[in-house]
Amino acid sequence: MTSSHCFHCGLPNPKQPHLLTIEGDQLAFCCIGCQGAAKTIIESGLGDYYKFHQPDQSPVFIELSDRQQQAFQILERNDVQAQFVHQISPNEHHAILLIEGISCSACAWLIDKRLTQLNGVTKAHVNSATHRLLLEWDPNQIGLSEIAKTLFFIGYQITPFLPSEEDTVIKRTQRQYILRLGIAGIGMMQAMMNAVALYSGQITQQHEQWLWWASLFLTVPVMLISARPFFTSAWQALRAKQMSMDVSVSLAILSAFFASLYATVIGHGEVYYESVNMFTFFLVLSRFLEFRARTQSNRNHHNQVTLPTLCKKILSEGELQTCSVTDLNVNDLIELQAGEACPVDGQLVSGTSEFDESTFTGEFTGVRKSVGDSVLAGSVNLAQPITLKVTALGANSSYNLIQRLIEQASQSKPRLALMADRGAQQFVWSTLIITLFIGLFWLYYDPDRAFWVVISVLVVTCPCALSLATPTALSQSLNQLKNIGFLLTKGYTIERLASIRTIAFDKTGTLTEGHFVVDHLERYPKLDSLDWTNDEVLALCHLLEKQSDHPITKAFPKQASSSPIGINNIIYNAGLGVSAVASIGEIKLGNAQFTHQSEQPNSDTILFLTLNSERLAAIRLKDRARASCSALFSELTKLNIQTNIISGDPNPKAANAFQELGFKGHYFFGAKPDDKLTILKKADKDSAFVGDGINDGPVLAGAHLSIAVNNATDLSKTQADAILLNDNLLTITQAIIIAKKTHRIIKQNLAWALVYNVVALPVAAMGLITPWQAAIGMSLSSLIVVGNAVRLRK
């Protein structure tokens, strides 16, 4: 027997459809293309694809109204996507989306599976703790509107992840929870009032029937509105052949309701409407409190700064025009007033000010910016009006890049989280089997109590706490790490960070500030004969070096004094120095080889300033250690972590400065990038490497755990597992402490969830608790897990 509609696409079949026999079933298709596609999908082992669509109906786009179609098509507009879609390449787009309708980890699994089946979707991962979807797709193969439609038809809606949109979704979801909670609460109170009259034994049979019917009408809204999300989630899980926690909850609620309905219709038996309303109320209350705890954490983390939607654009005539941020383009000029948050990444082209970059670094001290410096989206202008040139906006800004990296970190779960997910699935199956045997026993031992014992077992053993044990703790931990300026890019980083026993640091740019300063200027007789002051010498050096990109140029900032002579014909010699022509002869600034000097001490960086090859001055440069180095070495010692330094600097005497600051580990000098990884792996298996990402690519990619400091290369290109967003190296030790605490709390949560279920199951099986008491127990168990995870905020 064949269907009148195509098994693959749902369109009506012709009179003589194309047929395909799969496992004894004859399937009908409207064309040879659908037949071939179905054969390929099934033979490739992807037959589960057909669990998620309805082949006996018309295609889904026919069922959508014009208004719904328009809502989906808006997602394809370039100006809309510019706000949340990051274009890695023409064939690769990334986006973070908020998902409405998720109730448990099974929902996240279903969304992941369904989306990855779509042609063109390369990655889809849902964070069950934050309800965010990290999506990667090829826009040439599938549009974002098609992805949204796919989710819509399996019961979920997407919203672009924007701070303002997230607040809207949170408020809407909160209103829905309050509505469901209010209806369940009213139903519970009224049904219990009726139950008091029923249990009093002082009413007639006719009045008893009236109260039964009244309780039924009070319970129907609770079933249709308050309990509906549990039923929807359970149905979606069953369609995907998965066992979620809502399956057992739904079985309990539906069993009690239909047993009561049957008794009401036939006029005799037992009704349990008050219990149905009561444990529905407590279940919704539990989910609402969990939702409040989770969203409060996310608000504290993500919405420290709300990016403005309007800005003042500077027109070519110099006039100011208020416009939407979505109307800006790269290289546009905007004016930023004091107290305003920067809506885009930009380069300061006029003015000087201080900026609060705590959204990125966790440090609230203002950072001074002058012409030419970069200003990050989300930083706040603290001092005075300035002019910025737009360098990146929308999804390409640093603010959104941070959000993507955070979501990326949640993709790969630590082993404990994976074990908990597998355990929750297996636990549901085990509970249903055990419940079956418990029910059979009570049917034999005491049939009158069998039904309620089964309901209690189903409710009390719902593995909510087990499923929440790791996601809530990991979410809180990621937020807390971000707040101190430590950003994770991989999910397993927390687990590895908690277990490291050895940590190695690159020297230049990591333990040091990464730029030279003038430590000493030694004068020679020729300089004294010219009667130039030291400030004038440094001003001349600035004039020679100011057009160079070499790090040494930062050692010579602009001086208050002016150069004593004018120069021209400046020539830069890479790795050697710079020369120029002046009225009094040839001026050179560089190393001993370049300036033809015989002296070149090995312990420091020395530059010689010469006039016609005659020495004027020797300038000693120094790269200073970061101010937090001493405290860093001390804290790592307290944590029993071995500290090493692996440097490319060939000078072994450089270790002396760090030993004075409390460094007691091994100092490896003259190490090439490839050598650093070899040294690190020989030191310890559970080791970490901290580098600046400029010449540490191999070791950052190959280390057991890699951390890039804030002056590393572009965040989007880094291979590190974590990124230090501020200059305070003590943040690393704080992150280790938080990671260890997170690992400990996850273990506590899993232990609690396991102990609770081991104790609760036999108690419920012995008939010692009622269903509503079981609902309270399950709710309290979940709240204890969430509350324990919230301790990570401190």
Side-chain angles (χ1 to χ4, degrees):
M1 182 177 179
T2 60
S3 172
S4 61
H5 287 77
C6 178
F7 178 79
H8 181 72
C9 72
L11 287 172
N13 281 328
K15 293 182 179 179
Q16 294 183 346
H18 297 266
L19 303 177
L20 179 66
T21 301
I22 302 293
E23 297 182 354
D25 293 331
Q26 194 175 55
L27 308 177
F29 301 89
C30 65
C31 65
I32 193 171
C34 287
Q35 181 193 45
K39 184 177 181 181
T40 301
I41 289 172
I42 294 173
E43 290 181 351
S44 300
L46 300 174
D48 286 347
Y49 167 81
Y50 291 106
K51 297 174 185 176
F52 300 100
H53 81 159
Q54 301 176 4
D56 58 339
Q57 295 183 5
S58 299
V60 295
F61 64 84
I62 295 178
E63 299 175 3
L64 293 174
S65 66
D66 291 340
R67 183 176 181 182
Q68 289 172 322
Q69 287 280 17
Q70 291 173 2
F72 285 122
Q73 287 303 318
I74 286 177
L75 293 174
E76 299 294 345
R77 286 172 44 178
N78 292 332
D79 59 333
V80 174
Q81 291 194 10
Q83 298 306 302
F84 66 95
V85 176
H86 180 55
Q87 299 182 15
I88 302 296
S89 70
N91 298 326
E92 184 180 1
H93 286 188
H94 292 196
I96 301 175
L97 304 168
L98 296 174
I99 306 293
E100 296 183 61
I102 291 179
S103 60
C104 66
S105 57
C107 296
W109 179 91
L110 175 61
I111 294 171
D112 290 353
K113 281 290 186 181
R114 182 66 184 99
L115 291 184
T116 51
Q117 290 175 340
L118 298 178
N119 186 30
V121 175
T122 55
K123 182 181 292 185
H125 176 79
V126 175
N127 186 326
S128 57
T130 61
H131 296 184
R132 296 195 185 102
L133 166 66
L134 181 63
L135 183 69
E136 298 180 10
W137 77 101
D138 182 353
N140 297 318
Q141 298 185 50
I142 188 170
L144 188 58
S145 61
E146 290 301 317
I147 297 174
K149 290 178 187 177
T150 300
L151 290 178
F152 178 78
F153 280 95
I154 60 171
Y156 305 97
Q157 296 185 33
I158 64 171
T159 304
F161 172 66
L162 298 170
S164 57
E165 290 292 336
E166 185 179 32
D167 275 342
T168 301
V169 173
I170 289 174
K171 291 176 181 178
R172 181 167 63 246
T173 304
Q174 180 168 293
R175 287 195 298 269
Q176 293 171 352
Y177 267 115
I178 292 174
L179 174 64
R180 292 169 54 203
L181 200 59
I183 291 174
I186 293 172
M188 176 184 68
M189 291 185 292
Q190 295 300 320
M192 289 184 67
M193 290 176 61
N194 292 346
V196 170
L198 290 171
Y199 295 149
S200 67
Q202 303 297 319
I203 61 174
T204 64
Q205 183 176 359
Q206 182 180 10
H207 288 158
E208 183 181 59
Q209 293 290 320
W210 289 350
L211 288 176
W212 283 10
W213 283 101
S215 297
L216 171 61
F217 286 116
L218 288 169
T219 306
V220 167
V222 176
M223 295 290 290
L224 295 177
I225 300 175
S226 299
R228 182 179 178 181
F230 302 126
F231 306 148
T232 302
S233 175
W235 173 243
Q236 291 166 353
L238 290 174
R239 289 183 64 188
K241 294 186 178 180
Q242 290 291 308
M243 278 296 164
S244 72
M245 64 188 72
D246 286 333
V247 172
S248 55
V249 167
S250 299
L251 283 174
I253 295 175
L254 291 172
S255 299
F257 175 76
F258 283 110
S260 303
L261 177 62
Y262 177 76
T264 302
V265 172
I266 65 174
H268 65 85
E270 296 290 336
V271 295
Y272 317 107
Y273 294 119
E274 75 284 355
S275 295
V276 171
N277 287 284
M278 186 177 294
F279 62 71
T280 298
F281 173 80
F282 284 114
L283 287 172
V284 176
L285 178 61
S286 170
R287 296 282 174 87
F288 176 61
L289 294 176
E290 175 208 332
F291 164 81
R292 288 281 295 173
R294 186 181 68 249
T295 53
Q296 185 61 42
S297 169
N298 292 336
R299 279 180 173 178
N300 291 341
H301 168 49
H302 291 288
N303 296 334
Q304 296 173 359
V305 174
T306 299
L307 298 184
T309 57
L310 298 176
C311 65
K312 292 182 179 179
K313 180 179 178 181
I314 302 177
L315 303 179
S316 57
E317 299 81 7
E319 298 179 358
L320 291 178
Q321 179 187 55
T322 301
C323 68
S324 171
V325 174
T326 59
D327 295 330
L328 292 177
N329 296 306
V330 174
N331 294 326
D332 281 348
L333 297 179
I334 63 171
E335 183 180 86
L336 192 67
Q337 296 290 328
E340 291 183 343
C342 187
V344 297
D345 284 354
Q347 184 180 39
L348 203 154
V349 297
S350 175
T352 301
S353 186
E354 289 189 351
F355 289 81
D356 177 359
E357 295 184 345
S358 57
T359 301
F360 300 93
T361 65
E363 300 288 341
F364 289 90
T365 304
V367 179
R368 185 175 178 80
K369 302 278 186 178
S370 56
V371 174
D373 290 337
S374 297
V375 178
L376 303 177
S379 58
V380 180
N381 182 14
L382 298 177
Q384 58 188 357
I386 50 96
T387 300
L388 291 176
K389 180 174 72 173
V390 178
T391 57
L393 66 162
N396 297 311
S397 69
S398 299
Y399 186 85
N400 285 293
L401 174 60
I402 295 295
Q403 307 307 326
R404 286 198 303 276
L405 290 175
I406 292 173
E407 293 305 316
Q408 178 182 319
S410 67
Q411 288 187 46
S412 51
K413 298 180 180 179
R415 287 175 295 175
L416 283 175
L418 295 174
M419 289 172 57
D421 288 347
R422 289 194 296 267
Q425 294 284 339
Q426 296 170 357
F427 187 83
V428 173
W429 278 110
S430 302
T431 300
L432 292 176
I433 295 172
I434 293 172
T435 303
L436 175 62
F437 286 105
I438 292 173
L440 293 175
F441 169 78
W442 279 95
L443 282 174
Y444 171 78
Y445 179 73
D446 188 352
D448 292 337
R449 298 185 61 194
F451 181 78
W452 278 122
V453 171
V454 169
I455 297 297
S456 298
V457 171
L458 286 174
V459 174
V460 80
T461 56
C462 179
C464 293
L466 185 62
S467 296
L468 290 171
T470 53
T472 51
L474 289 174
S475 178
Q476 296 288 341
S477 180
L478 286 171
N479 294 347
Q480 188 64 14
L481 289 170
K482 169 60 178 62
N483 289 339
I484 65 171
F486 195 84
L487 178 65
L488 305 188
T489 63
K490 309 286 193 309
Y492 56 72
T493 303
I494 287 181
E495 188 174 29
R496 294 185 180 182
L497 195 61
S499 63
I500 62 170
R501 294 178 295 183
T502 301
I503 184 167
F505 292 88
D506 175 48
K507 179 179 76 72
T508 304
T510 302
L511 292 177
T512 66
E513 295 178 350
H515 58 86
F516 292 102
V517 294
V518 176
D519 185 54
H520 179 70
L521 189 151
E522 184 176 354
R523 301 174 63 91
Y524 288 89
K526 180 63 175 179
L527 182 61
D528 292 332
S529 67
L530 292 173
D531 200 25
W532 293 352
T533 67
N534 288 355
D535 286 343
E536 288 176 331
V537 171
L538 294 178
L540 175 59
C541 293
H542 169 75
L543 192 61
L544 288 165
E545 293 280 3
K546 70 176 184 178
Q547 300 299 327
S548 173
D549 293 328
H550 195 279
I552 284 180
T553 61
K554 294 182 179 179
F556 302 107
K558 187 175 182 180
Q559 302 291 318
S561 301
S562 59
S563 174
I565 55 174
I567 58 175
N568 51 55
N569 297 331
I570 299 175
I571 300 175
Y572 295 96
N573 298 270
L576 298 175
V578 56
S579 64
V581 177
S583 58
I584 58 176
E586 183 184 36
I587 301 289
K588 284 188 176 182
L589 177 67
N591 59 26
Q593 176 187 350
F594 179 68
T595 56
H596 307 292
Q597 304 299 311
S598 58
E599 299 178 19
Q600 174 66 1
N602 293 324
S603 59
D604 297 292
T605 299
I606 301 291
L607 295 181
F608 293 98
L609 180 66
T610 65
L611 172 62
N612 298 323
S613 299
E614 187 175 355
R615 187 183 302 183
L616 298 179
I619 304 170
R620 184 171 64 199
L621 304 181
K622 185 178 182 180
D623 186 8
R624 293 179 298 193
R626 292 180 187 255
S628 53
C629 277
S630 179
L632 171 71
F633 296 141
S634 174
E635 290 299 316
L636 288 175
T637 300
K638 292 179 183 178
L639 293 171
N640 295 319
I641 295 176
Q642 171 71 33
T643 306
N644 297 326
I645 298 176
I646 307 176
S647 175
D649 187 346
N651 177 24
K653 295 182 180 180
N656 298 337
F658 297 106
Q659 290 170 349
E660 294 175 0
L661 296 174
F663 172 68
K664 300 178 181 179
H666 299 290
Y667 184 89
F668 301 92
F669 60 92
K672 297 179 181 178
D674 293 340
D675 297 334
K676 292 183 178 181
L677 182 58
T678 302
I679 294 171
L680 186 68
K681 289 187 174 180
K682 287 182 179 179
D684 199 318
K685 179 182 177 182
D686 295 326
S687 58
F689 180 80
V690 185
D692 59 12
I694 296 172
N695 60 348
D696 298 321
V699 67
L700 286 175
H704 178 70
L705 176 66
S706 56
I707 303 170
V709 295
N710 68 318
N711 59 336
T713 51
D714 192 345
L715 294 180
S716 62
K717 299 177 181 178
T718 184
Q719 301 180 73
D721 300 317
I723 302 169
L724 180 64
L725 297 174
N726 55 46
D727 293 324
N728 186 3
L729 292 175
L730 273 177
T731 302
I732 296 175
T733 61
Q734 296 173 14
I736 293 173
I737 294 172
I738 291 173
K740 290 180 179 292
K741 186 176 181 180
T742 301
H743 205 253
R744 185 166 61 250
I745 284 179
I746 289 176
K747 287 184 175 180
Q748 292 171 356
N749 283 351
L750 291 175
W752 164 255
L754 181 62
V755 169
Y756 164 77
N757 283 289
V758 168
V759 173
L761 179 59
V763 171
M766 290 185 290
L768 300 179
I769 56 176
T770 62
W772 66 268
Q773 291 171 333
I776 293 177
M778 185 202 69
S779 302
L780 288 176
S781 175
S782 300
L783 292 177
I784 287 173
V785 166
V786 173
N788 193 35
V790 169
R791 293 195 299 121
L792 285 165
R793 295 185 192 177
K794 300 179 181 179

